[in-house]
Amino acid sequence: MFQNQHSASIGVILRDCKGKVLMSVSKREHEVNNAIRIKMLAILRGLQLSAHLGIHHLIVESDSLILVQELQESEPSMSMVGNVIKDTKKLKNCFQSCEVRHVGRICNEAAHRLARFAWNVNDISLWWESFPNVIAQVLWNERHL
């Protein structure tokens, strides 16, 4: 989050079933000043990008256990990001299958670094079948360790 600019950023990585990066994204979000809201927007933006690509089966990973639990609930959310959760649940239904999983922060390091990289982005930077150097070491570590 960039408090002095009233904005925050997200990082999204789309991988195939073998872990190969298909797309990576750094995006700045404006008028966001809450960590839970920005994590929820990251999930929503990832789903939006995936839906436009015609992907039918998706596994979403987030390091926010609270949001993962909210997205797994069938009841409407009463949280302060309830409207974004509602929109995200609706979008999840557009996929043949869309599972939401909790992962530890260490497993989400590449997305976290992409989010920090968005400091250099006006709106959105997208890499198709590629990624910026800022996550190259993390991806190498994931493959070899």
Side-chain angles (χ1 to χ4, degrees):
M1 292 184 24
F2 315 122
Q3 294 289 356
N4 59 337
Q5 296 181 13
H6 303 288
S7 66
S9 60
I10 62 172
V12 175
I13 299 178
L14 177 65
R15 302 177 195 232
D16 66 13
C17 60
K18 295 179 182 176
K20 178 184 173 204
V21 175
L22 301 176
M23 178 178 61
S24 54
V25 179
S26 288
K27 179 164 182 5
R28 192 174 281 214
E29 295 285 346
H30 300 282
E31 302 304 322
V32 179
N33 58 3
N34 176 287
I36 294 293
R37 182 172 173 76
I38 194 63
K39 287 179 181 271
M40 192 65 245
L41 280 173
I43 295 170
L44 178 64
R45 298 293 185 238
L47 289 173
Q48 289 170 331
L49 289 165
S50 298
H52 286 293
L53 294 172
I55 294 170
H56 302 290
H57 305 281
L58 195 62
I59 297 173
V60 177
E61 296 178 337
S62 173
D63 61 11
S64 174
L65 181 58
I66 293 168
L67 293 178
V68 169
Q69 290 171 337
E70 285 278 357
L71 289 171
Q72 292 172 342
E73 287 290 323
S74 57
E75 298 296 318
S77 174
M78 298 310 217
S79 78
M80 61 187 204
V81 293
N83 287 335
V84 181
I85 291 171
K86 178 183 170 186
D87 291 345
T88 303
K89 285 180 176 180
K90 188 184 297 184
L91 188 55
K92 274 181 52 186
N93 292 329
C94 294
F95 296 90
Q96 289 178 15
S97 67
C98 183
E99 179 184 345
V100 181
R101 294 181 185 169
H102 177 255
V103 295
R105 176 68 179 261
I106 192 80
C107 297
N108 212 16
E109 182 65 24
H112 179 69
R113 287 186 184 202
L114 283 170
R116 284 191 294 179
F117 181 77
W119 176 261
N120 305 307
V121 173
N122 288 328
D123 182 34
I124 188 169
S125 286
L126 186 139
W127 298 265
W128 184 249
E129 294 189 358
S130 183
F131 49 85
N133 285 337
V134 70
I135 64 169
Q137 184 66 44
V138 173
L139 297 175
W140 186 89
N141 288 342
E142 288 176 356
R143 281 191 312 267
H144 296 96
L145 297 179

